[in-house]
């Protein structure tokens, strides 16, 4: 009786391995490899600049920045991005995660507000919150048009330009809502500062 049950048991168990292995291979190769290759290929074809990281390059091909990652700018002739809890390190993207009631956050924002007010020659009450608070990623390269507006006078003074010239560049870089529906109007500070330098060196 034992000899007659062994083949039957084997025939029941063996077929269960084939679909399990087949499903595992499909998941590994189909969704883990083929789908990733197809999605990358489509993205690279339809959106080559974005798929490449939205990189900003010099004429010789040297990479200077990415339009998706904030970076600090030194000098009064540039617009400033938001403060970064990550130190503008794309490998450590994060916010401070401090509660609004945290004394450390209150102190830091107060100090930053005083600094920005002095730099822009405005009252502390006129400093927009986004110029002294950190984004959730710590790498947000965009500001609202209202926040950028506060910086226009300083940039114009530093570059010796009429304020209207700087304002025209700002107006040209205001992006509307995403698809006209989502988010708020915004200005990419990386692109704006790039435009400033290009205008400075233009013949």
């Amino acid at each position: 009786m034992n000899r007659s049950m062994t083949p039957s048991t084997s025939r029941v168990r063996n077929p269960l391995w084939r679909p399990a292995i087949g499903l595992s291979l499909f998941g590994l190769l189909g969704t883990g490899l083929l789908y990733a290759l197809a999605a990358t290929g489509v993205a690279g074809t339809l959106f080559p600049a974005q798929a490449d990281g939205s990189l900003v390059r010099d004429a010789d091909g040297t990479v200077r920045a990415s339009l998706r990652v904030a970076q600090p700018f030194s000098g009064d002739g540039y617009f400033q991005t938001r403060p970064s809890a990550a130190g503008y390190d794309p490998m450590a993207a994060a916010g401070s995660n401090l509660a609004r009631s945290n004394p450390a956050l209150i102190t830091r924002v107060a100090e930053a507000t005083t600094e920005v007010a002095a730099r822009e020659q405005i009252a502390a009450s006129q400093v927009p919150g986004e110029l002294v608070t950190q984004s959730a990623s710590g790498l947000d390269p965009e500001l609202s048009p209202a926040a950028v507006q506060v910086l226009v006078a300083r940039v114009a003074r530093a570059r010796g330009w009429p304020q209207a010239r700087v304002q025209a560049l700002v107006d040209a870089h205001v992006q509307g809502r995403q698809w006209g529906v989502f988010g708020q109007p915004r200005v990419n500070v990386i692109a704006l500062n790039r435009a400033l330098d290009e205008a400075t060196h233009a013949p």
Side-chain angles (χ1 to χ4, degrees):
M1 180 176 293
N2 289 338
R3 287 194 300 272
S4 64
M5 288 181 64
T6 300
S8 175
T9 302
S10 178
R11 283 194 297 271
V12 172
R13 289 177 179 174
N14 286 342
L16 298 180
W17 289 100
R18 287 194 290 270
I21 294 174
L23 185 60
S24 298
L25 289 175
F26 172 78
L28 179 63
L29 299 177
T31 62
L33 178 63
L34 298 180
Y35 173 78
L37 291 175
T40 302
V42 170
T45 301
L46 298 180
F47 310 102
Q50 293 88 335
D52 194 36
S54 299
L55 300 177
V56 177
R57 302 176 184 270
D58 286 341
D60 61 0
T62 302
V63 176
R64 291 299 181 186
S66 168
L67 294 177
R68 305 302 173 194
V69 179
Q71 67 180 41
F73 289 88
S74 60
D76 288 338
Y78 291 99
F79 290 89
Q80 305 301 320
T81 53
R82 295 182 67 161
S84 172
Y88 301 100
D89 181 0
M91 301 304 292
S96 65
N97 296 325
L98 297 178
R100 297 181 64 181
S101 59
N102 191 302
L105 177 62
I106 295 172
T107 299
R108 186 186 62 75
V109 170
E111 292 175 348
T113 299
T114 300
E115 179 182 344
V116 171
R119 185 186 69 200
E120 307 302 335
Q121 300 181 18
I122 59 177
S125 60
Q126 295 178 294
V127 175
E130 61 198 284
L131 292 180
V132 295
T133 56
Q134 300 156 341
S135 64
S137 66
L139 299 171
D140 187 357
E142 296 173 335
L143 292 173
S144 70
V148 172
Q149 189 66 47
V150 171
L151 314 179
V152 169
R154 169 180 53 80
V155 173
R157 286 194 304 269
R159 290 181 177 259
W161 292 4
Q163 191 167 323
R165 184 182 180 187
V166 178
Q167 185 64 55
L169 279 177
V170 171
D171 294 342
H173 283 79
V174 175
Q175 305 173 53
R177 296 172 181 267
Q178 188 74 32
W179 301 309
V181 177
F182 301 108
Q184 298 295 329
R186 61 206 184 280
V187 177
N188 188 297
V189 177
I190 308 299
L192 179 57
N193 283 333
R194 182 72 170 181
L196 282 171
D197 283 346
E198 290 176 347
T200 298
H201 297 104

